[in-house]
Amino acid sequence: MITNTTKRFLASLFITIGVLFKNRKTRKFTLIPLVIIVIGFLLPQKMIIPVAGATTSDWDDNSFWAYPWGSSITHKGIDIFKAKGTNVISSTYGIVVYTHEGGKGGKSVMVLGPKWRFHYYAHLDQIDAFAFKPLSPGTKLGTVGDTGNAVGKPPHLHYAITSPFPYWWLREPDVIQGNRKMFHLDPDVWLRE
Ligand SMILES: [Zn+2]
């Protein structure tokens, strides 16, 4: 699965880190962020379905990366259907990064969880969260709605997980927008575990 490009990238990454470590002036500035990054990846992740009372049959397991999907081109998350007003809850431990109102997502919440994964909750009817709020799995974030580009559609939670660190092995060059798949994780995989 590991391609030559990946091997070359990893080799140059380790060489760069090695060089920065050898130099006493740059050592500290390399070590601190590295330790923080590693700790983030080591944090355990316990995940639950982010809509109260929902089961695995409340979303279509083929909807992740479905194409065509309007102006998004591919669907980079899953849609969990439940009645308007049902509680939307945090799927993991985490911290609220921001809440937002407007655009495609309507009322939405962005959460940073373990392993540097960003969890996006969109189309909420009501937001019950604020930036920097710490979360446990099950903490209420708001309620299911049909805001943003879900107006006129059955109420649902659009739930997506992204990572700033690429998962090379998830790339699918033959699929539409397939190179971007290394930054988008399929929530279905994690919620079925
Ligand atoms: Zn969606």
Side-chain angles (χ1 to χ4, degrees):
M1 288 295 268
I2 295 177
T3 62
N4 280 331
T5 323
T6 309
K7 276 183 201 158
R8 251 175 272 142
F9 174 80
L10 285 175
S12 49
L13 183 70
F14 287 128
I15 290 166
T16 310
I17 292 170
V19 168
L20 290 168
F21 258 86
K22 262 197 140 179
N23 185 329
R24 202 180 288 164
K25 275 187 198 153
T26 51
R27 185 178 295 160
K28 210 191 313 177
F29 303 103
T30 318
L31 194 63
I32 294 167
L34 270 181
V35 167
I36 292 172
I37 289 169
V38 169
I39 288 173
F41 274 108
L42 292 176
L43 291 176
Q45 178 180 255
K46 175 183 177 268
M47 238 173 124
I48 59 168
I49 296 172
V51 176
T55 66
T56 51
S57 54
D58 289 315
W59 71 85
D60 174 359
D61 51 2
N62 292 316
S63 84
F64 181 73
W65 227 260
Y67 168 84
W69 203 274
S71 64
S72 305
I73 304 181
T74 55
H75 187 227
K76 296 170 185 75
I78 57 169
D79 294 332
I80 305 174
F81 292 87
K82 269 284 172 206
K84 188 186 263 191
T86 309
N87 282 354
V88 169
I89 54 181
S90 178
S91 59
T92 61
Y93 285 101
I95 187 156
V96 175
V97 182
Y98 66 77
T99 64
H100 182 71
E101 198 171 335
K104 283 195 260 187
K107 291 184 183 173
S108 59
V109 178
M110 184 68 87
V111 171
L112 174 62
K115 308 188 190 303
W116 302 106
R117 291 175 187 171
F118 288 88
H119 301 256
Y120 178 60
Y121 305 81
H123 309 319
L124 304 188
D125 188 48
Q126 190 188 311
I127 294 174
D128 293 292
F130 49 86
F132 306 113
K133 183 185 184 179
L135 307 166
S136 301
T139 307
K140 186 178 177 183
L141 296 174
T143 55
V144 173
D146 54 2
T147 55
N149 63 5
V151 168
K153 292 175 189 158
H156 64 274
L157 170 71
H158 173 85
Y159 176 55
I161 310 172
T162 55
S163 166
F165 296 100
Y167 290 67
W168 304 280
W169 55 94
L170 296 179
R171 261 179 82 231
E172 286 187 72
D174 302 333
V175 170
I176 290 166
Q177 293 188 324
N179 283 326
R180 290 171 64 174
K181 277 191 126 178
M182 58 183 167
F183 298 107
H184 297 267
L185 306 177
D186 182 355
D188 180 68
V189 171
W190 303 93
L191 292 174
R192 271 174 209 278
E193 271 191 339

